Amino acid sequence: MTDDKFTTGKFITFEGGEGVGKSTQVKKLVELLINKGINNVRTREPGGSAGAEEIRALLVKGGVDKWHPMTEALLHNASRAEHLSSTVFPALKAGKWVICDRYADSTLAYQGYGQGIAVDTLLALHNVSTGDFWPDLTIILNGNELSRAVEREEEISDQNTKEDRYERMGADFHAKLQNSFLDIAQKNPNRCAVVSAAGTIDEVAQRVWQLVAGKFDLK
Ligand code: TMP
């Protein structure tokens, strides 16, 4: 998708299961970077640009069976291509850091481990959609997950407005996700780091900061 080199900006992604506190930690890291004078952009996937947010709505709302798993993988990659070209690449080119709530590891975990698409197929799709663009650092928050998965019979009537389609996918699906991110971290030790989500918000934020400061040599 791009062969540009981003020399100053860094691309950092957060991953983890539902309710592990990712979004809070994304905000915390953004605040700490601002305090250190590092200009940055907070964003998310699916979504993160106008077009990608339209695709997000197709994915996170509505009936659990509304897409074939391959359609779902394609939609996540379509959202990603939009997000990279409209938001992430321009920011990195401007020397900003980009802190993103979920990225391609979520596709490997949810559409791969969870929905059964072969990981090699998803990696090929990632290659085509993004030019094999991966983060400088992926922080995998581990533990303390809320069991947000709800049984189908409990499906709520406002499924067309609430963004909880994946949470409604049921216990079997969520069981398959259980160790997916740890497995991904083990297979990508140079890019991924696992951070314990145990303790207070500030304790976790401190662990994240130590990791980021060490990796990028920040004072
Ligand atoms: P969020 O609630 O963290 O914003 O993410 C929305 C949902 O989308 C979450 O349940 C995980 C799911 N998801 C995928 O299934 N595949 C993906 O590639 C991404 C980025 C998210």
Side-chain angles (χ1 to χ4, degrees), residues 3 6 18 31-33 51 62 69 81 83 85 89 95 109 115 122 136 159 186 191 203 218-219:
D3 52 15
F6 306 114
E18 313 280 341
E31 283 167 17
L32 281 166
L33 288 171
H83 179 222
S85 62
F89 291 162
Q115 295 188 292
L122 292 173
D136 296 292
Q159 64 178 29
Q186 213 168 28
R191 175 175 62 85
E203 282 165 356
L218 301 175
K219 301 279 176 286

Side-chain angles (χ1 to χ4, degrees), residues 14 20-33 35-36 139 141 195-214:
F14 279 75
V20 77
K22 267 182 306 83
S23 306
T24 307
Q25 291 303 326
V26 167
K27 283 186 205 142
K28 283 278 179 191
L29 178 59
V30 162
E31 283 167 17
L32 281 166
L33 288 171
N35 289 343
K36 298 284 171 189
I139 297 165
L141 282 184
V195 170
S196 168
T200 65
I201 289 171
D202 285 336
E203 282 165 356
V204 180
Q206 195 50 35
R207 270 177 225 135
V208 169
W209 179 252
Q210 294 301 330
L211 177 69
V212 172

Side-chain angles (χ1 to χ4, degrees), residues 18 22 44-46 56 60 76 80 101-104 106-107 110-111 163 166-167:
E18 313 280 341
K22 267 182 306 83
R44 68 172 181 180
E45 287 204 352
R56 176 187 173 94
V60 298
H76 278 290
R80 189 156 301 134
D101 191 338
R102 294 193 185 280
Y103 185 65
S106 281
T107 314
Y110 282 74
Q111 282 66 57
E163 291 198 339
Y166 288 97
E167 290 168 35

